[in-house]
Amino acid sequence: MLVHTIDEVREKIEEWKKQSLTVGLVPTMGALHDGHLSLIKKSVEKCDKTVVSVFVNPIQFCPGEDLDKYPRTLDADEKLCNDAGADIVFAPSPKEMYGEGHILSNDFLTYVIPPFFYTNKLCGKSRVGHFDGVCTVVNKLFNIVQPDFAFFGEKDRQQLIILKKMVKDLNIPVEIIPCPIVREESGLALSSRNKYLSDDDKIHALALSKILFNIKACYNKGITDVKALTETAYSYLNEHHSLEYLEFRDAQDLEEKKTADDNTIVFIALKIGDVRLIDNIALK
Ligand code: PAF
């Protein structure tokens, strides 16, 4: 069932809550792929009812980013959600989410601002304000849907860590369920932004997963010095790649690691032409 308004969602949620049914929420920006489907399937398995939100959230895009060209494929998304067993696809307009005129600056909208320590690094360094936009919209979705469980992919691991922190700090009554990265057979992590890649770009994009898999193999052989592990990456990079970061950080609080251990996540972001790709791996 496709709905566009908050009132319609609330009505359904009220009905389900009266019947003591558990509700799962899968927040997405649409352009759904098998990675999203794995979240939806997990929710359908675990919860009585599943809501998938499809909303390209304008306040999490920075100036100059791909808000206008971000793929919008609602018809196909709705079909995929229905086939996967979702009960509601909630696809609000920006006006529905942010009000008349939807004035989106911090001067006119109440924002949820996650801690600077979590946002001043990795993607937050180049995407200033991005996680404020993510936390604000996810908070709104939690208030609208009141889910018992919310499903997020480990592909956006910094986002997942920040949202867990938000839920803990603000005592939001929802359990966040992390879901593993889904990869193509080649190793490439699925992402809606892969749609921007040409066939050649896709080959160059394999550098991300190759670097991460190789670092994990070296760690498994006993190498724990982060400097030595980082150096193993360079042989995979060439003139097609512009490396933004390759960092080793704690899985809970994103503290930098000098020595890798089982609580370490290796994060990578690089650009191929104009397309920015991210990936990560847990060393455990
Ligand atoms: O991961 C995403 O697709 C988005 O950041 C989210 C969580 C749906 C919020 O807009």
Side-chain angles (χ1 to χ4, degrees):
M1 177 183 174
L2 176 65
V3 305
H4 296 287
T5 69
I6 294 168
D7 283 349
E8 285 169 287
V9 179
R10 285 234 161 103
E11 207 175 294
K12 267 283 159 207
I13 299 291
E14 219 170 282
E15 196 183 306
W16 294 341
K17 295 271 165 177
K18 273 191 197 141
Q19 299 169 58
S20 302
L21 299 175
T22 55
V23 178
L25 171 66
V26 183
T28 80
M29 297 208 302
L32 301 183
H33 50 64
D34 283 352
H36 297 110
L37 285 185
S38 74
L39 312 188
I40 299 169
K41 283 181 186 152
K42 217 170 189 173
S43 175
V44 169
E45 257 170 50
K46 193 173 174 65
C47 307
D48 299 317
K49 297 287 176 186
T50 290
V51 178
V52 181
S53 62
V54 174
F55 180 59
V56 182
N57 174 34
I59 67 166
Q60 70 184 74
F61 287 78
C62 301
E65 288 189 349
D66 55 346
L67 172 61
D68 292 336
K69 73 166 188 174
Y70 196 85
R72 287 160 171 89
T73 56
L74 185 57
D75 290 347
D77 292 345
E78 187 198 353
K79 186 170 179 334
L80 285 172
C81 289
N82 289 339
D83 291 351
D87 299 277
I88 289 184
V89 178
F90 173 45
S93 65
K95 186 174 150 196
E96 179 69 11
M97 286 298 271
Y98 294 115
E100 198 63 51
H102 51 91
I103 301 164
L104 300 175
S105 85
N106 306 34
D107 294 342
F108 293 94
L109 186 71
T110 304
Y111 271 71
V112 177
I113 314 283
F116 189 60
F117 184 80
Y118 287 67
T119 61
N120 68 349
K121 48 184 62 76
L122 304 169
C123 291
K125 217 168 168 177
S126 63
R127 307 189 72 193
V128 176
H130 166 69
F131 291 111
D132 302 353
V134 170
C135 285
T136 302
V137 79
V138 170
N139 217 290
K140 283 170 73 71
L141 290 167
F142 285 169
N143 287 330
I144 294 164
V145 177
Q146 296 167 49
D148 301 283
F149 302 95
F151 299 78
F152 293 91
E154 288 177 341
K155 163 82 176 16
D156 295 304
R157 178 95 60 163
Q158 187 179 13
Q159 166 175 284
L160 176 63
I161 291 170
I162 288 172
L163 289 171
K164 274 186 168 167
K165 174 87 176 132
M166 176 185 84
V167 161
K168 182 165 175 272
D169 288 353
L170 301 183
N171 306 97
I172 303 175
V174 61
E175 188 181 330
I176 296 216
I177 312 287
C179 304
I181 297 176
V182 178
R183 297 180 181 279
E184 288 184 4
E185 219 168 293
S186 65
L188 182 66
L190 298 192
S191 160
S192 304
R193 289 188 168 96
N194 289 354
K195 289 200 163 81
Y196 301 149
L197 297 170
S198 68
D199 287 348
D200 274 355
D201 291 342
K202 268 196 142 184
I203 292 166
H204 302 314
L206 296 183
L208 288 108
S209 52
K210 282 186 177 160
I211 287 171
L212 295 178
F213 294 161
N214 186 48
I215 287 175
K216 185 155 177 164
C218 292
Y219 174 74
N220 286 341
K221 280 188 200 145
I223 304 174
T224 56
D225 178 50
V226 162
K227 203 161 165 277
L229 289 169
T230 304
E231 272 161 18
T232 66
Y234 295 117
S235 61
Y236 295 96
L237 296 173
N238 59 40
E239 70 280 10
H240 298 285
H241 303 116
S242 163
L243 184 65
E244 187 178 306
Y245 60 72
L246 174 62
E247 295 184 19
F248 292 64
R249 294 200 170 262
D250 183 82
Q252 264 72 48
D253 66 8
L254 295 175
E255 183 84 71
E256 192 173 0
K257 297 269 189 183
K258 294 263 183 290
T259 306
D261 58 25
D262 281 358
N263 284 321
T264 303
I265 309 286
V266 188
F267 292 85
I268 187 167
L270 59 76
K271 268 188 159 180
I272 296 166
D274 286 339
V275 187
R276 183 175 177 280
L277 298 172
I278 60 171
D279 200 349
N280 70 82
I281 202 163
L283 290 186
K284 195 173 180 179

